[in-house]
């Protein structure tokens, strides 16, 4: 039975949170076989390659299911997870396909065939990526900045977009996840999107190099992304920690240009990317943590800007993932989250309890309301963290 008698709070409800970019196969492996000492993306990839041979179907599946419980508790019911296809036996693909089926009544899980070690760089990726798609993986992935050269990155984008066009699938590529301002694969991805007729079906993830690009170049790039109907996905928690590691001072933030992309009409969503894995030691899969970090990193503290950041972890994510029936309008799925907060901005400020998470009209998670009682200066009062809190009668 739900206790909705929350003190001194107007309860907003909203559609579930959306994680537009995640890695469920590596989640909850922190410290295995060791921690990431440099904190860089490249050491994370090295660590993952050391860990991969020891993974089994059961360990991947069970960790993913544990992560999904965290997701539901936090009110995230739509997740796009990349899954590493650079494994001759496709263990992670098989395990996450099983997970997708096991959680289908609670979570919409989309899987991206992600060639972590490079589509052209890893010798068997052409075969394994095709096999993963044949097995039912939903989206074509890529990692052009990790190919051996810029031309190889371009070639990988062209080939992967052709595969997506032939199979009528969406595309979601890790793109320009570096601090190199000359990493311009997003430009090629936009061109191929237009050339292959993939308008509205393509997402560029990370795009951290855009943070460091020349402003004049970006003034041409962003309209091109808009023309191609590309969605951009920022991963603030990860971008702020992995990028800028080669800098002394000042240290670049690394997050893509969220504010400018939104202003230009590009659909921008956010992802958690990692939870306790070789790339990130923290996290509980809370998309409010993501948006909270994003608005700080992006200088988006204006009222409309904070609301826009809330959209990045809700409606914009659903749009990027092509999710129909998302929202609270008549005719949508009866999925919603009840927050112990008065508004979306309050939710960002407090990252409060998800009092109830409802899927198709069924309560699938409950959290008790938090009502701290504080004794101070001779009085004992309940604290609500709202302006104007005074002594209660
Ligand atoms: Fe990622």
């Amino acid at each position: 039975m739900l206790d909705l008698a929350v003190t001194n709070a107007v309860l907003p409800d909203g559609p579930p949170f959306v994680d537009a970019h995640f890695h469920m196969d590596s989640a909850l492996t922190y410290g295995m076989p060791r921690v990431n000492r440099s904190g860089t993306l490249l050491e994370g990839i090295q660590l993952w390659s050391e860990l991969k041979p020891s993974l089994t179907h059961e360990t991947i599946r069970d960790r993913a299911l544990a992560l999904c419980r965290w997701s539901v508790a936090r009110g995230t019911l739509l997740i796009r997870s990349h899954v590493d296809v650079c494994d001759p036996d496709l263990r992670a693909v098989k395990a996450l396909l099983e997970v997708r089926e096991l959680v289908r009544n609670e979570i919409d899980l989309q899987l991206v065939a992600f060639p972590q070690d490079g589509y052209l760089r890893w010798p068997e990726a052409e075969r394994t990526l095709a096999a993963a798609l044949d097995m039912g993986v939903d989206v074509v992935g890529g990692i052009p900045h990790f190919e051996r050269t810029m031309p190889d990155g371009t070639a990988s984008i062209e080939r992967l977009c052709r595969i997506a066009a032939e199979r009528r699938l969406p595309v979601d590529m890790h793109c320009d996840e570096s601090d190199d301002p000359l990493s311009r694969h997003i430009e090629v991805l936009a061109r191929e999107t237009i050339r292959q007729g993939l308008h509205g079906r393509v997402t560029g993830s990370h795009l951290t190099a855009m943070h460091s690009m020349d402003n004049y170049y970006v003034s041409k790039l962003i309209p091109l992304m808009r023309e191609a109907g590309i969605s951009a996905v920022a991963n603030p928690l990860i971008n702020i920690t992995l990028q800028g590691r080669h800098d002394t001072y000042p240290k670049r933030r690394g997050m893509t240009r969220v504010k400018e992309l939104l202003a230009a009409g590009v659909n921008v969503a956010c992802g958690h990317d990692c939870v306790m894995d070789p790339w990130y030691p923290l996290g509980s899969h809370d998309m409010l943590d993501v948006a909270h970090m994003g608005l700080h990193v992006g200088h988006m503290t204006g009222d409309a800007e904070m609301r826009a950041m809330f959209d990045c972890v809700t409606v914009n994510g659903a749009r990027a993932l092509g999710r129909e029936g998302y929202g609270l309008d008549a005719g949508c799925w009866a999925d919603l989250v009840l927050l112990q907060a008065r508004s979306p901005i309050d939710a960002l400020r407090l990252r409060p309890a998800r009092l109830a998470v409802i899927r198709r009209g069924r309560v699938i998670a409950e959290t008790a309301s938090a009502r701290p009682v504080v004794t101070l200066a001779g009085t004992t009062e309940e604290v609500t963290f709202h302006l104007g809190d005074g002594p209660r009668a």
Side-chain angles (χ1 to χ4, degrees):
M1 193 64 185
L2 279 174
D3 172 17
L4 300 184
V6 178
T7 308
N8 209 18
V10 178
L11 298 170
D13 50 19
F17 295 110
V18 179
D19 184 352
H21 185 111
F22 193 64
H23 294 263
M24 206 171 277
D25 48 1
S26 61
L28 310 188
T29 61
Y30 179 68
M32 300 168 58
R34 57 185 174 80
V35 300
N36 184 334
R37 282 186 288 266
S38 67
T40 61
L41 171 71
L42 295 181
E43 184 174 345
I45 293 173
Q46 170 61 28
L47 255 175
W48 175 239
S49 73
E50 292 172 27
L51 175 60
K52 257 198 289 190
S54 68
L55 299 175
T56 65
H57 182 99
E58 288 72 24
T59 56
I60 299 168
R61 180 195 62 202
D62 293 348
R63 275 195 285 267
L65 286 172
L67 189 282
C68 286
R69 277 191 172 66
W70 296 14
S71 312
V72 171
R74 297 302 194 191
T76 302
L77 304 185
L78 175 54
I79 303 170
R80 174 176 280 183
S81 174
H82 296 252
V83 50
D84 189 357
V85 299
C86 293
D87 166 15
D89 302 320
L90 289 170
R91 280 164 297 170
V93 168
K94 292 169 187 168
L96 291 193
L97 283 168
E98 183 184 350
V99 170
R100 186 179 71 180
E101 185 61 25
L102 286 170
V103 303
R104 61 194 290 271
N105 290 328
E106 289 83 26
I107 295 173
D108 291 308
L109 176 58
Q110 289 185 4
L111 299 177
V112 184
F114 174 48
Q116 172 74 76
D117 298 328
Y119 183 65
L120 300 179
R121 191 167 170 177
W122 192 68
E124 294 186 63
E126 188 175 349
R127 174 185 71 79
T128 57
L129 185 133
L133 297 175
D134 289 342
M135 291 162 69
V137 169
D138 309 278
V139 182
V140 179
I143 186 166
H145 58 274
F146 196 67
E147 303 292 352
R148 289 189 178 89
T149 64
M150 290 285 182
D152 277 4
T154 297
S156 76
I157 294 169
E158 291 168 351
R159 288 175 58 173
L160 290 161
C161 283
R162 197 176 316 127
I163 290 169
E166 288 168 1
R167 291 177 179 255
R168 299 179 186 277
L169 292 174
V171 173
D172 190 336
M173 289 196 195
H174 284 64
C175 202
D176 303 322
E177 189 181 3
S178 82
D179 294 315
D180 177 3
L182 296 179
S183 184
R184 295 177 168 184
H185 296 297
I186 180 60
E187 174 184 81
V188 178
L189 183 59
R191 182 200 67 193
E192 282 305 296
T193 298
I194 295 166
R195 198 161 76 174
Q196 305 271 2
L198 296 168
H199 191 278
R201 286 160 47 193
V202 175
T203 296
S205 281
H206 288 291
L207 304 174
T208 56
M210 284 183 72
H211 186 90
S212 299
M213 285 175 181
D214 172 72
N215 288 335
Y216 185 86
Y217 173 71
V218 171
S219 75
K220 174 171 176 272
L221 175 63
I222 290 180
L224 176 63
M225 293 170 66
R226 172 77 203 272
E227 179 190 355
I230 283 185
S231 286
V233 171
N235 298 300
L237 293 168
I238 309 308
N239 303 150
I240 193 69
T241 46
L242 290 185
Q243 304 306 315
R245 290 278 180 168
H246 295 265
D247 295 351
T248 53
Y249 287 93
K251 293 180 186 293
R252 284 168 288 180
R253 300 178 175 207
M255 191 173 80
T256 196
R257 303 190 187 203
V258 172
K259 192 189 293 197
E260 292 75 12
L261 286 162
L262 286 168
V266 174
N267 184 50
V268 181
C270 284
H272 206 299
D273 200 11
C274 306
V275 170
M276 301 187 75
D277 72 3
W279 294 273
Y280 188 60
L282 302 174
S284 66
H285 210 205
D286 187 347
M287 293 308 295
L288 284 175
D289 282 349
V290 173
H292 185 265
M293 178 63 75
L295 74 88
H296 284 81
V297 174
H299 283 169
M300 295 177 66
T301 47
D303 190 78
E305 291 169 343
M306 288 194 283
R307 287 176 184 276
M309 187 53 78
F310 192 82
D311 288 346
C312 290
V313 295
T314 51
V315 289
N316 295 4
R319 193 176 301 130
L321 272 54
R323 178 72 177 134
E324 294 177 358
Y326 175 89
L328 300 183
D329 298 330
C332 292
W333 297 107
D335 300 345
L336 63 92
V337 179
L338 194 63
L339 297 161
Q340 189 181 358
R342 291 175 169 177
S343 67
I345 292 174
D346 246 7
L348 290 167
R349 181 172 65 89
L350 299 171
R351 284 158 288 158
R354 313 314 115 103
L355 297 170
V357 179
I358 296 170
R359 166 84 168 181
R360 309 289 191 266
R362 181 171 62 102
V363 176
I364 59 172
E366 295 177 62
T367 303
S369 65
R371 291 181 248 185
V373 178
V374 174
T375 299
L376 180 77
T379 60
T380 298
E381 295 172 17
E382 194 174 86
V383 176
T384 62
F385 301 106
H386 294 294
L387 290 177
D389 293 344
R392 296 179 63 79

